[in-house]
Structure formats: structure tokens, C-alpha cells
Amino acid sequence: MLAIASLKALFGPSAYRIYAEAIGRCPTTFLRNVSDPTTITNRLVLTTGALLEEAQAAGTDPHSILTQCRSLYIPRTLNKSWLHVTFEDVLGQDAIGLLSGTQRMSVESVLRAIQKPGARYEPHFRLMALTMLALRAQGRPVQLMQHPQDPAPLQSAA
């Protein structure tokens, strides 16, 4: 329920509906997935929620980021997607490995999610990337959150 609480702090009592609609998901299914702390959806929402909270503290309206996420066109660039290039730009060359570790997804699953438009977790990563770009535009370091179930500390990217 930590993920839901994080969203409610940002978007109010209808938070899960607002977030689900922004990433193009059914609110009921999204609520079921995000409520289970063992799901990848829960991890992705916790990470993105923490980044959105940081962006809000820095003066960026999280609603504007959700709006951009809904309407963003993502072009392909050579053999890497815009998301792949963005994560490498913000987090460094080991971005895929870092995302894989924080989200407890295989490297292949992360690559599939960020390379294939319409992939199951692609909207979560799109929202995460937009939030990271908003933080970086304000000169803030990007810190991937420590998941409550993980023992090892995480790195930050300047």
C-alpha cells in the first residue's frame, strides 16, 4: 500500500485512477497490481512516485508530467529507442543494469519494455524518464529510490 499512499500524496484520493489513465491502463486492474508489493508494477510505481515527489518539491507540477506522458510521441533512433537513450543519458551507460536491479526485472525485460512501443511496462518507464528529465532540467540529481524490500543501497546519477 506504500505505492498507493505515495500516489495519493501527489494526486489526491483518485490517484490510482489518474495514474492508470495517464499510462493507458484499466484503473481496476492497475489498482490490483499496484496493491501487491511483490509485483513489478508496484516497484515501478514506487520508483516513479518517489521521482514525482522530488519533482513536485522542486516546483514541477506532477499533473503536467502525467499529461505529457499521455500524449508523448517517442521516436526510434537507430538501434535504440528514445527511452533507452534517455535513461543512458540521465543514469549513465549502465542505466539498463541499474533499472534492472531496482525493478527486479531481467535486463532483457527492461530492454523489451523500453524498446517496444506498447510493451506492458513501457508506459511506466516513459513516465519515469519524463520525470527524470524534469528533475535534471531543474538541476536536481536523479535518485532511484530504495525499495522497502531491498537490503542494498542504490546509486544516484548527477
Side-chain angles (χ1 to χ4, degrees):
M1 293 310 266
L2 188 58
I4 296 294
S6 171
L7 292 179
K8 283 184 178 181
L10 289 164
F11 304 112
S14 303
Y16 79 92
R17 286 189 176 284
I18 293 168
Y19 192 99
E21 289 171 3
I23 62 169
R25 297 292 184 253
C26 167
T28 306
T29 305
F30 173 76
L31 180 60
R32 184 178 58 244
N33 288 331
V34 78
S35 296
D36 180 355
T38 63
T39 64
I40 291 172
T41 300
N42 181 277
R43 286 180 165 281
L44 290 166
V45 171
L46 275 172
T47 301
T48 305
L51 291 167
L52 285 167
E53 285 174 3
E54 259 188 70
Q56 185 178 39
T60 299
D61 179 19
H63 287 278
S64 67
I65 296 173
L66 288 181
T67 302
Q68 290 174 14
C69 182
R70 220 177 283 143
S71 61
L72 181 68
Y73 167 73
I74 299 178
R76 297 254 329 147
T77 56
L78 301 173
N79 62 345
K80 291 183 180 179
S81 71
W82 175 85
L83 285 173
H84 193 153
V85 172
T86 300
F87 283 126
E88 285 185 347
D89 185 39
V90 174
L91 298 173
Q93 290 301 309
D94 189 35
I96 304 308
L98 185 59
L99 289 168
S100 171
T102 60
Q103 304 311 314
R104 293 298 185 250
M105 296 172 72
S106 68
V107 170
E108 294 79 19
S109 294
V110 172
L111 285 171
R112 187 172 40 252
I114 65 174
Q115 296 282 47
K116 182 180 173 193
R120 181 176 181 183
Y121 299 118
E122 183 267 339
H124 294 281
F125 283 109
R126 184 179 345 137
L127 183 56
M128 191 183 300
L130 283 171
T131 307
M132 288 178 179
L133 289 173
L135 285 168
R136 191 174 72 175
Q138 295 171 339
R140 304 279 266 223
V142 174
Q143 174 72 40
L144 292 177
M145 74 162 287
Q146 176 73 38
H147 194 276
Q149 297 175 348
D150 295 342
L154 299 176
Q155 305 170 3
S156 67

